[in-house]
């Protein structure tokens, strides 16, 4: 049974409900109303748990949000609540939420769909008043347990019930059960019901009405319900200043697992618990993976070294963030290989598993024992820090390194030297075998008292300003370091040997650090003030980029999804920053399992609770930004082609021909081959046999060496696309290129800035093949031949060397006028 499809309410609003849960803390706190309830001795409003409506029998998943009204005092004391209310952020989020919901409702096409204001009010009601969800296994002792129960508090007061009543199917029936009026609808695999318990709304999915009667009997008797579960009450208990307002669990032990899971140790997983709430003025969460000792299989890899917060490894001062983790790679390798041995098939003819074969070959060929000579020498404490943004500042230098404690420095240095010597020799042999192939990087041995190696990138491989990065590995007395530059690596080595210049929790870092557990296996410290305020302040720009990406995905005739924001409604970076302070994310491991503890001033990607949400929100903007960069690179490729065209013209008084031809005029090779000497590919040009066609045995071997400027960055770069391009020229009597020779600038009477030379095309051709877009002045032009993966536009090279982003909706007549070099047409409107 699929519960989400068994009732119209779930069918129409499963996505909005998810949005509501995801957006739980993004509404301004000023909109949270108070209810006529009384406070308990702890300062929290006393109210019964919504778990009193959810059966505990066969309960697999349970999640409850007690609501901000019941926790108003603690919520309003948080930095995040103040950030939403005391700056423009809350109003900005509300504005965007209403617009986004409105766009979604408009596209739903559902006449019964709620308005944006109704849905937003619904979301606020869920946030303010709370909800609970219980999911039950089917096939319990009596074979008929409910699939799920959802409870929404105060639904008759916050407008949710009115929405549900409006969307209820006309085929639904009403039935009185124990003095309740229940709306029931049949589905393929069972039935669903909606009814009220006072002001609270319940939605349940079940197999038959015996289950419904059982649910109501439990509610009336107040027995066998989730609110009486010791685990539920334990999760909601206050602890050392932490006030949970949301909590839940997932009972993994009830989920059937394949036999192989026992070998991997997954049968040792018992439960996942989650708690979210407030600690002082911070957002605080604890995610617990209950896997008691002794752990087996992959779970056993969790067991190992830890570190104390009072004994951090060497981390330089002045960082806004860093990561420390405990890892014994040697122990992990040993446990993993032992698992592989235990699960490998027996017998003299049985194949050797790849991991064990690799271990054998490393010792036989390289003379290196993977564990004893390499991995076993590293750990247990590791650090990682990185500040690439400093490169964007005037005179800035990259900062960053990965460091690890080491054991037996002479042995590790000898092993690494052997490895790098073999790698360098292999690269040298490859270069000798194929001298024309360009190697993007090489290794150089670092001179000095500390042994190591540096990566040297070939010119042009890494764009400025990131070409300042030259990863360097050094083996110091106490630490192995991989720095973003040699200077950074040496600084990390010196720091490990000194007590000065190390990071210490001072200022705003002290309180979050003091709240950390004493012993950890992982710690991430970050300061959102370095990035979050600027990101929020740039929201209009991010929306513009997202809108551009969405415009290219709009289906025929449908208006693109678009969100706009008045810049005057956006808070400044300075306003945001003063409510923020450093975040911490730590993991601990004990006999019961793993705990991930997050403390933050505002939701950030360091939090397991918010990382998925943040990624989901930012992914369209990130993808759009990447696509904008790819579109710009594509335009630069065409600009290089344009420059080559003009250099060819300077040498030959005409633009290149559409094809290199034989003595009889048969096309052999494309214009892309003809301009190779003008794009710094003269050596490749000399390798072609110009009197043979593109698919001759010799010339075919050169297809795979297509210059990078013929490849649009947005196109796939493997498989069938290898050696192909979608940069095609317009070929014909009245176009720029023709055969056996092309036009000169004097012949382009329409003007070089108004005439197309090359454009992105729908089809891809082998770059050496003389195949392009045919143009006939007397025939209609098929505009569908022009296309790109850039949203909404394609790049086109004009004869003057400029590149235009041309909209795909440009009329064919306009395109035809742009292609002809001497038609004298008047080009109407923009393109």
């Amino acid at each position: 049974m699929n519960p989400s499809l068994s009732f119209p309410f779930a069918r129409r609003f499963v996505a909005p409900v998810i949005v509501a849960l995801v957006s739980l803390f993004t509404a301004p706190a000023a909109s949270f109303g108070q209810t006529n309830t009384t406070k308990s001795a702890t300062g929290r409003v006393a109210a019964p748990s919504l778990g009193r409506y959810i059966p505990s029998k066969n309960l697999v998943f349970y999640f409850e949000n007690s609501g901000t009204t019941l926790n108003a005092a603690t919520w309003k004391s948080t930095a995040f609540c103040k950030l939403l209310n005391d700056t423009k952020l809350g109003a900005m989020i509300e504005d965007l939420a209403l617009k986004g919901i409105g766009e979604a409702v408009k596209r739903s096409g559902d006449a019964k769909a709620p308005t944006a204001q109704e849905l937003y009010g619904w979301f606020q009601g869920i946030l303010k008043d709370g909800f609970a969800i219980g999911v039950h296994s089917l096939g319990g002792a009596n074979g008929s347990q409910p699939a799920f129960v959802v409870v929404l508090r105060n639904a008759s007061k916050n407008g949710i019930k009115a929405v549900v009543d409006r969307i209820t199917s006309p085929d639904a029936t009403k039935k009185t059960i124990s003095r309740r009026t229940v709306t029931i609808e049949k589905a393929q695999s069972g039935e669903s019901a909606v009814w009220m318990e006072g002001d609270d709304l319940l939605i349940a999915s079940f197999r038959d009405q015996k289950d419904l009667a059982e649910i109501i009997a439990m509610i009336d008797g107040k027995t066998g319900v989730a609110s009486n579960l010791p685990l539920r009450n334990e999760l909601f208990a206050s602890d050392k200043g932490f006030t949970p307002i949301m909590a839940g669990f997932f009972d993994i032990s009830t989920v059937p697992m394949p036999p192989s899971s026992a070998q991997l140790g997954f049968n040792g997983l018992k439960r996942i618990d989650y708690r979210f709430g407030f600690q002082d003025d911070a957002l605080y969460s604890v995610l617990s993976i209950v896997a008691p000792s002794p752990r087996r299989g992959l779970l056993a890899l969790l067991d190992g070294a830890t570190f104390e917060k009072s004994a951090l490894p060497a981390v330089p001062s002045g960082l806004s963030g860093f990561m420390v983790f405990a890892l014994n790679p040697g122990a992990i390798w040993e446990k993993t290989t032992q698992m592989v041995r235990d699960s490998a098939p027996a017998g003299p003819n049985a194949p050797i598993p790849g991991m064990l074969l690799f271990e054998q070959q490393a010792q036989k060929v390289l003379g290196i024992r993977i564990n004893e000579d390499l991995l076993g020498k590293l750990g247990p404490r590791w650090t990682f820090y990185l500040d690439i943004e400093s490169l964007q500042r005037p005179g800035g230098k990259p900062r960053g390194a990965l460091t690890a404690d080491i054991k037996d420095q002479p042995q590790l240095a000898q092993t690494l030297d052997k490895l790098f010597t073999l790698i360098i020799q292999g690269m040298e042999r490859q270069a000798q075998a194929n001298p024309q192939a360009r190697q993007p990087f090489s290794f150089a041995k670092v001179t000095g008292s500390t042994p190591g190696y540096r990566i040297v990138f070939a010119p042009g491989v890494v764009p400025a300003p990131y070409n300042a990065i030259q990863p360097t590995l050094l083996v110091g007395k106490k630490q192995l370091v991989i720095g973003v530059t040699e200077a950074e690596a040496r600084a990390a080595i010196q720091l490990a040997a000194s007590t000065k210049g190390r990071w210490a929790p001072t200022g705003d870092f002290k309180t979050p650090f003091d709240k950390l557990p004493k012993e950890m296996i992982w710690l991430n410290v970050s300061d959102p003030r370095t990035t979050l305020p600027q990101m929020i302040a740039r929201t209009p720009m991010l929306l513009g980029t997202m809108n551009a990406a969405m415009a290219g995905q709009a289906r025929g005739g449908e208006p693109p999804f678009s969100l706009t924001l008045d810049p005057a409604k956006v808070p400044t970076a300075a306003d945001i920053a003063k409510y923020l302070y450093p975040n911490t994310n730590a993991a601990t491991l004990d006999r019961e399992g793993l705990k991930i503890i997050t403390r933050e001033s505002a939701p950030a990607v360091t939090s397991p609770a918010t990382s998925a949400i943040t990624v989901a929100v930012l992914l369209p903007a990130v993808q759009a930004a990447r696509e904008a960069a790819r579109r710009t690179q594509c335009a630069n490729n065409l600009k290089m082609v344009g420059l080559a065209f003009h250099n060819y013209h300077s040498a030959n008084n005409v633009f290149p021909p559409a094809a290199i031809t034989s003595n009889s005029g048969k096309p052999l090779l494309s214009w892309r081959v003809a301009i190779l000497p003008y794009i710094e590919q003269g050596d490749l040009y000399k390798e072609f046999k110009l009197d043979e066609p593109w698919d001759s045995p010799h010339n075919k071997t050169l297809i795979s060496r297509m210059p990078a400027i013929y490849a649009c960055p947005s196109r796939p770069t493997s498989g069938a696309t290898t050696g192909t391009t979608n940069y095609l020229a317009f070929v014909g009597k009245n176009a720029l290129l023709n055969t056996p020779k092309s036009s000169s600038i004097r012949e382009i009477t329409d003007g070089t800035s108004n005439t197309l030379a090359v454009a992105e095309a729908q089809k891809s051709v082998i770059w050496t093949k003389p195949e392009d877009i045919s143009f006939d002045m007397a025939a209609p032009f098929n505009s569908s031949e022009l296309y790109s993966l850039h949203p909404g536009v394609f790049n086109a090279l004009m004869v003057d060397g400029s590149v235009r982003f041309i909209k795909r909706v440009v009329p064919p007549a306009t395109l035809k006028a742009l292609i002809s070099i001497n038609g004298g047409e008047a080009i109407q409107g923009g393109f």
Side-chain angles (χ1 to χ4, degrees):
M1 178 177 179
N2 185 346
S4 68
L5 299 179
S6 61
F7 193 74
F9 177 84
R11 274 203 308 269
R12 289 182 182 139
F13 292 104
V14 67
V17 167
I18 291 172
V19 173
L21 303 184
V22 165
S23 307
L24 207 52
F25 288 96
T26 59
S31 65
F32 302 161
Q34 291 290 340
T35 56
N36 295 323
T37 49
T38 57
K39 290 185 178 179
S40 67
T42 62
R44 302 176 72 179
V45 178
S49 163
L50 292 176
R52 69 188 186 275
Y53 299 125
I54 297 179
S56 59
K57 192 174 183 180
N58 293 335
L59 189 59
V60 175
F61 172 84
Y62 179 75
F63 190 85
E64 180 182 346
N65 166 36
S66 58
T68 53
T69 295
L70 303 185
N71 304 276
T74 49
W75 162 238
K76 290 182 178 179
S77 68
T78 64
F80 186 47
C81 179
K82 295 172 184 175
L83 173 62
L84 292 175
N85 285 275
D86 297 346
T87 71
K88 298 178 182 178
L89 182 61
M92 183 191 86
I93 292 174
E94 182 171 5
D95 182 45
L96 286 174
L98 284 169
K99 289 177 179 176
I101 296 169
E103 286 281 336
V105 169
K106 184 170 62 177
R107 282 166 166 74
S108 70
D110 191 340
K112 291 186 176 183
T115 66
Q117 288 288 351
E118 285 176 325
L119 276 174
Y120 188 70
W122 182 11
F123 299 164
Q124 286 188 309
I126 292 175
L127 167 67
K128 178 181 69 173
D129 297 317
F131 65 91
I133 301 173
V135 178
H136 304 74
S137 62
L138 293 168
N142 62 3
S144 57
Q145 287 297 315
F148 72 77
V149 179
V150 177
V151 188
L152 303 175
R153 199 195 313 264
N154 283 340
S156 61
K157 296 180 180 179
N158 57 31
I160 295 176
K161 183 179 183 299
V163 174
V164 174
D165 288 343
R166 192 165 81 235
I167 67 172
T168 299
S169 169
D171 297 329
T173 60
K174 294 186 182 296
K175 187 174 182 178
T176 301
I177 302 177
S178 187
R179 302 180 305 281
R180 296 166 176 82
T181 300
V182 182
T183 302
I184 300 175
E185 180 183 282
K186 292 187 178 296
Q188 283 184 334
S189 304
E191 296 178 283
S192 299
V194 175
W195 74 97
M196 298 296 295
E197 295 283 344
D199 289 325
D200 304 331
L201 176 74
L202 272 72
I203 305 167
S205 173
F206 47 88
R207 278 195 183 156
D208 56 46
Q209 293 187 24
K210 291 180 182 179
D211 296 322
L212 180 59
E214 185 176 356
I215 296 172
I216 293 176
M218 289 179 178
I219 294 171
D220 286 339
K222 297 181 175 57
T223 58
V225 289
S227 58
N228 293 333
L229 289 173
L231 176 59
R232 181 266 167 206
N233 296 322
E234 179 184 331
L235 292 175
F236 271 97
S238 296
D239 178 28
K240 298 179 181 178
F242 171 36
T243 304
I245 71 163
M246 278 191 268
F249 62 84
F250 173 38
D251 189 350
I252 301 176
S253 65
T254 63
V255 179
M257 290 191 178
S260 59
S261 64
Q263 285 184 328
L264 298 175
F266 290 150
N267 58 342
L269 286 171
K270 301 302 181 186
R271 202 176 63 247
I272 296 177
D273 299 337
Y274 180 69
R275 308 168 77 200
F276 176 88
F278 314 124
Q279 184 188 68
D280 304 327
D281 65 342
L283 307 181
Y284 192 86
S285 68
V286 181
L287 177 67
S288 302
I289 300 175
V290 181
S293 295
R295 289 175 275 266
R296 298 177 299 278
L298 292 178
L299 293 182
L301 299 181
L302 295 174
D303 297 320
T306 61
F307 61 88
E308 294 188 2
K309 67 178 181 181
S310 59
L312 293 181
V315 179
S317 60
L319 293 174
S320 61
F322 61 87
M323 183 186 299
V324 179
F325 53 98
L327 181 68
N328 263 329
I332 292 175
W333 180 270
E334 185 176 351
K335 290 178 181 178
T336 305
T337 52
Q338 187 58 52
M339 279 195 303
V340 172
R341 289 188 185 94
D342 293 342
S343 60
N349 298 321
I352 301 175
M355 189 174 185
L356 303 182
L357 185 62
F358 173 76
E359 186 178 50
Q360 293 176 8
Q361 291 298 314
Q363 184 167 357
K364 180 179 178 181
V365 178
L366 305 179
I368 294 173
R369 297 170 298 173
I370 297 294
N371 192 9
E372 294 85 345
D373 297 338
L374 184 59
L375 299 182
K377 306 301 181 186
L378 300 173
R381 300 181 309 169
W382 299 65
T383 65
F384 177 73
Y385 52 91
L386 184 64
D387 180 13
I388 294 296
E389 291 185 1
S390 61
L391 286 172
Q392 305 295 336
R393 297 188 285 270
K397 296 180 180 180
R399 295 191 67 189
L402 171 68
T403 74
D405 292 344
I406 59 175
K407 311 157 195 168
D408 194 350
Q409 189 261 6
Q411 176 64 54
L412 180 62
Q414 181 182 349
T415 300
L416 290 172
D417 188 61
K418 186 183 296 185
L419 268 177
F420 277 99
T421 299
L422 292 170
I423 292 171
I424 291 172
Q425 290 174 351
M427 294 179 72
E428 289 175 348
R429 285 194 298 269
Q430 186 178 12
Q432 292 172 1
N434 190 1
Q436 298 299 325
R438 184 190 185 199
Q439 294 199 4
F441 66 90
S442 59
F443 289 100
K445 193 165 186 176
V446 174
T447 58
S449 58
T450 305
Y453 288 85
R454 181 178 66 251
I455 294 179
V456 180
F457 292 105
V461 170
V462 181
Y466 304 107
N467 53 2
I469 297 174
Q470 285 195 333
T472 303
L473 180 148
L474 297 178
V475 185
K477 293 181 180 179
K478 297 181 179 180
Q479 286 185 312
L480 177 140
V481 176
I482 302 175
V484 293
T485 64
E486 184 176 339
E488 278 292 291
R490 292 196 180 281
I493 293 290
Q494 293 172 2
L495 186 67
S498 172
T499 57
K500 296 181 179 180
R502 296 192 180 194
W503 185 89
T506 59
D508 292 334
F509 285 89
K510 193 172 189 316
T511 297
F513 196 80
D514 289 343
K515 301 287 184 179
L516 289 169
K518 179 182 178 182
E519 196 172 70
M520 296 165 279
I521 63 171
W522 173 42
L523 168 63
N524 186 65
V525 177
S526 62
D527 191 343
R529 292 172 294 188
T530 61
T531 54
L532 186 60
Q534 291 77 13
M535 186 179 71
I536 293 173
R538 294 170 185 162
T539 301
M541 182 185 70
L542 289 173
L543 287 176
T545 305
M546 184 183 73
N547 290 340
M550 298 295 285
Q553 299 174 14
R555 297 176 182 175
E558 181 184 51
F561 188 95
S562 177
L563 290 181
T564 58
L565 181 64
D566 182 355
K569 295 183 179 181
V570 181
T572 65
D575 287 341
I576 298 293
K578 63 185 180 182
Y579 292 94
L580 303 177
Y581 48 78
N583 300 336
T584 58
N585 190 217
T588 65
L589 187 68
D590 58 22
R591 291 186 58 84
E592 291 304 309
L594 178 72
K595 287 185 179 179
I596 300 174
I597 305 166
T598 301
R599 189 182 192 277
E600 48 196 7
S601 54
V605 294
T606 57
S607 166
T610 57
S611 58
I613 299 169
T614 306
V615 169
V617 170
L618 293 182
L619 187 58
V622 171
Q623 289 175 328
R626 287 178 176 172
E627 172 51 36
R630 290 193 290 264
R631 187 177 70 175
T632 301
Q633 180 58 50
C634 177
N636 288 337
N637 289 347
L638 288 173
K639 285 179 181 178
M640 294 297 293
V641 170
L643 181 61
F645 271 32
H646 280 271
N647 287 338
Y648 187 99
H649 191 285
S650 296
N652 301 280
N653 295 320
V654 290
F655 289 108
I660 299 171
T661 62
S662 66
N663 292 334
S664 61
K666 179 184 177 181
L668 301 176
L669 294 159
S670 79
W671 57 268
R672 290 171 286 270
V673 175
I675 66 169
L676 285 176
Y678 304 95
I679 58 171
E680 299 182 357
Q681 293 288 336
D683 290 340
L684 178 58
Y685 178 77
K686 292 176 183 177
E687 290 191 49
F688 278 92
K689 293 186 177 180
L690 302 180
D691 58 348
E692 294 182 1
W694 66 275
D695 56 352
S696 70
H698 171 79
N699 286 343
K700 280 180 70 174
T701 64
L702 304 175
I703 291 174
S704 61
R705 292 170 58 186
M706 183 179 78
I709 72 163
Y710 292 150
C712 170
S714 291
R715 294 179 66 239
T717 56
S718 61
T721 63
T722 301
T724 66
T725 180
N726 68 329
Y727 294 159
L728 305 188
F730 301 97
V731 178
K733 181 179 179 182
N734 296 100
L736 180 68
L737 302 191
N738 208 340
T739 303
K741 73 171 187 175
S742 287
S743 312
S744 67
I745 287 181
R746 292 193 305 273
E747 297 174 72
I748 305 171
T749 56
D750 286 350
T752 56
S753 61
N754 292 324
T755 304
L756 289 172
V758 178
E760 292 184 276
Q762 175 79 270
K763 66 179 179 180
S764 297
V765 303
I766 294 174
W767 72 281
T768 58
K769 186 178 181 180
E771 180 179 358
D772 289 276
I773 300 174
S774 299
F775 177 73
D776 185 348
M777 194 73 171
F781 180 72
N782 182 8
S783 59
S784 66
E785 289 194 61
L786 302 179
Y787 177 81
S788 82
L789 293 176
H790 310 308
V793 299
F794 61 87
N795 281 324
L797 170 67
M798 312 305 289
V799 177
D800 67 351
S802 64
V803 173
R804 304 280 188 94
F805 299 147
I806 298 182
K807 300 174 184 176
R808 295 182 194 164
V809 294
V810 170
T814 301
L815 287 172
K816 189 174 178 180
L818 288 169
I819 296 169
S820 68
I821 64 174
N822 52 10
E825 306 94 341
I827 299 174
Q828 302 295 330
F831 56 89

